[in-house]
Amino acid sequence: ETWSEKANRKFKENPWVPIGCLATCGALVMSAIKMRQGQSKNMNYWLRTRVVLQGLTLVVLVAGSMSIQKSRNKEIADAGVGKNEEGLLRNEKERQEFEERLREAQHATEME
């Protein structure tokens, strides 16, 4: 998986995080522009906006991660149901084969 493929996959999984990062960077750039222009009130506005956007991005990141984890756990659980039944049947068959070999061994020991 290349870097661009991974970025596309992550963007599709949770598109709000990159959008929030871009918005946060935009607010930071705007605050720098306002500082260079000497507009301290507008600079403070953009710095506060940056803080809010950073917080929202963090909330979206955590919520998206929890959502993705929940869906992956559900997929694993759904896939595991069939495997567990197959495993139980295989274990039961192995147990029966073992008991049969044990009976044969006990019978052979009694014959000696």
Side-chain angles (χ1 to χ4, degrees):
E1 183 176 41
T2 65
W3 182 85
S4 61
E5 290 172 345
K6 184 176 181 177
N8 285 333
R9 179 175 54 84
K10 293 287 187 180
F11 186 77
K12 288 177 184 174
E13 286 178 356
N14 195 356
W16 292 107
V17 172
I19 291 170
C21 290
L22 289 174
T24 301
C25 290
L28 184 62
V29 168
M30 285 302 296
S31 68
I33 290 170
K34 296 302 177 183
M35 182 179 72
R36 287 186 60 94
Q37 292 175 351
Q39 299 175 3
S40 63
K41 286 186 181 182
N42 285 333
M43 181 194 73
N44 284 329
Y45 168 79
W46 285 108
L47 285 176
R48 289 185 192 111
T49 302
R50 178 194 57 86
V51 170
V52 170
L53 289 171
Q54 253 181 314
L56 289 174
T57 302
L58 186 61
V59 168
V60 169
L61 175 70
V62 171
S65 296
M66 290 172 59
S67 173
I68 291 168
Q69 184 66 32
K70 187 176 180 181
S71 66
R72 286 184 181 162
N73 286 344
K74 186 176 185 297
E75 289 174 7
I76 290 170
D78 291 345
V81 170
K83 289 181 182 178
N84 286 340
E85 291 173 1
E86 292 172 4
L88 291 174
L89 291 174
R90 186 179 69 241
N91 287 344
E92 181 63 26
K93 183 180 176 186
E94 288 175 359
R95 186 181 64 77
Q96 289 174 353
E97 290 173 355
F98 173 75
E99 288 176 355
E100 181 63 31
R101 287 193 310 269
L102 183 61
R103 274 189 254 135
E104 289 174 2
Q106 288 174 341
H107 181 67
T109 303
E110 291 172 359
M111 297 294 255
E112 292 177 354

